[in-house]
Amino acid sequence: MVLKSFVEVQPDSHFPIQNLPYGVFRPAPGSEPRPGVAIGEYVLDLSVVASAGLFDGPVLKNSDCFNQVNLNKFVGLGRPAWKEARVTLQKLLSATEPTLRDNPSLRQKALVPVVQVQMLLPVVIGDYTDFFASMHHAKNCGLIFRGPENPINPNWFHIPIAYHGRASSIVISGTDIIRPRGQGHPPGNSPPYFGPSRKLDFEMEMAAVVGPGNELGKPVDVNEAADHIFGLVLMNDWSARDIQAWEYVPLGPFLGKSFGTTISPWIVTLDALEPFASDAPKKNPPPLPYLAEKISKNYDISLQVSIKPAGEEDRCIVTRSNFKHLYWTITQQLAHHTINGCNLRPGDLLGTGTISGPEPESYGCLLELTWNGQKPLSLGGSTRKFLEDGDEVIFTGCCKGDGYLVGFGTCSGKILPSPS
């Protein structure tokens, strides 16, 4: 029997009772931020639910985690709290449960139309790491910049490669992105140019939100890593390719990445994604023991990127990919991150890196889709090598269940001109 909510949920909604993703919102301008879950076209205010004493399980009964202005305290409580909250919320919202359904005053207080709210970053992100976990993306970048002789460096098949990103410039979906300025890669032996980036790009990614952290010096076992991951968000790690190409040797990305990273407002939990688990790609060569998982899995999450060109009303779909294409799983990424003793904390963000599929129409960024500008992309009445001022980029992602979707909503941002 399919679980149904008393709240009306359209068949194409990303937020049925099977999902219940977590976010942080303001119900009205100037009001205090508070945690909520999405259900159909509404946000369920968890501070109201908690104040009514409806979280009565052993972990959450005496907790003030839903009276906070972010989700850090809740995600830090770990899987027992997450499971208890999910069971409680699915019961409260089910069509057969009268507690909320038949209490008009409580229902009106607890359920806020999503069109009225302002969504905020769901967690305070202390640290942000971005991986390079898609083999297809790694291969394409290698072909573009190094040629066919050695497109993927040998170490890539042994360790999940990553760089440490800039947490302060992570923004919520809908925030405009100002075109960055910096030094660009010079042609030949000429001096580098300085100015607005000429090769601004999107990167279709997802990111894991860390739950309980680990103590400094104590790595997380790869087979226990899922207990340290609360859920996933969509992520656009905007990239200035010309700035990055000039700066990344020998230490990697810096100004080409740190000007802005956009995430979607709703964190979809691993419990909600579990029905869509799929086998991860077979590793060749086999990973070292600390990365060898008993069960190595990804999730079947369909991903799509659209661009709404500057001055136009219609958006064009430019790529479709899937989370299941990742070579290194999110649990392997987390275990590798901590193997040297690095301590993760609740709310830390671990980006997957660009998620490209095997076919040209599934490449996850303009660098690949246009082959570094050599093959301009058609967007209806215009073409693009890279993003232009006024372009809006929209990510979506969802899993398809039996008569319902489990989705992430959208992750969007518009490019504004660089300041003069």
Side-chain angles (χ1 to χ4, degrees), residues 137 143 278 355:
H137 176 60
L143 288 171
S278 61
I355 304 173

Side-chain angles (χ1 to χ4, degrees), residues 390-401:
D391 288 350
E392 183 179 6
V393 181
I394 306 104
F395 291 8
T396 60
C398 70
C399 310
K400 295 177 174 63

Side-chain angles (χ1 to χ4, degrees), residues 104-350:
S105 61
L106 181 60
R107 195 175 67 239
Q108 185 174 15
K109 228 172 134 182
L111 288 166
V112 186
V114 73
V115 293
Q116 296 180 12
V117 310
Q118 178 192 6
M119 298 305 299
L120 306 170
L121 286 174
V123 287
V124 174
I125 303 165
D127 275 299
Y128 155 51
T129 302
D130 196 41
F131 284 85
F132 189 46
S134 163
M135 182 177 67
H136 303 295
H137 176 60
K139 181 179 180 181
N140 288 333
C141 290
L143 288 171
I144 290 169
F145 294 116
R146 289 191 301 276
E149 297 78 19
N150 181 31
I152 303 180
N153 289 324
N155 67 336
W156 192 92
F157 290 100
H158 294 274
I159 57 174
I161 302 294
Y163 75 93
H164 190 218
R166 181 73 187 173
S168 65
S169 53
I170 297 174
V171 296
I172 199 69
S173 175
T175 305
D176 293 334
I177 298 295
I178 297 172
R179 182 179 296 271
R181 294 191 299 167
Q183 293 188 32
H185 197 293
N189 294 319
S190 60
Y193 64 84
F194 175 81
S197 171
R198 301 172 186 176
K199 291 186 173 183
L200 190 54
D201 200 355
F202 65 82
E203 288 194 338
M204 180 173 63
E205 305 192 22
M206 300 194 76
V209 177
V210 174
N214 58 300
E215 291 182 37
L216 185 66
K218 295 188 177 179
V220 175
D221 186 286
V222 70
N223 294 304
E224 298 172 1
D227 288 336
H228 293 261
I229 297 174
F230 177 60
L232 298 176
V233 294
L234 299 172
M235 189 175 88
N236 184 350
D237 190 27
W238 305 89
S239 183
R241 300 295 184 186
D242 45 351
I243 297 173
Q244 183 184 354
W246 180 232
E247 73 183 0
Y248 84 104
V249 177
L251 292 181
F254 183 37
L255 301 184
K257 295 284 194 176
S258 60
F259 61 92
T261 299
T262 305
I263 64 170
S264 55
W266 297 109
I267 307 171
V268 178
T269 64
L270 294 195
D271 284 334
L273 293 172
E274 188 57 35
F276 310 99
S278 61
D279 292 337
K282 186 177 173 64
K283 307 295 186 291
N284 184 22
L288 292 176
Y290 81 93
L291 289 171
E293 300 182 285
K294 292 175 183 174
I295 300 173
S296 190
K297 65 185 180 184
N298 285 328
Y299 300 97
D300 186 0
I301 307 170
S302 297
L303 302 169
Q304 179 180 291
V305 179
S306 301
I307 295 178
K308 185 179 176 185
E312 297 186 21
E313 291 300 317
D314 297 327
R315 61 179 70 173
C316 297
I317 297 171
V318 296
T319 190
R320 291 183 174 92
S321 188
N322 196 297
F323 185 84
K324 66 184 179 183
H325 293 313
L326 283 181
Y327 184 88
W328 293 107
T329 66
I330 53 173
T331 40
Q332 287 172 319
Q333 292 169 38
L334 188 142
H336 181 67
H337 202 315
T338 67
I339 195 62
N340 67 339
C342 175
N343 54 320
L344 302 179
R345 296 171 293 185
D348 283 356
L349 204 66
L350 309 183

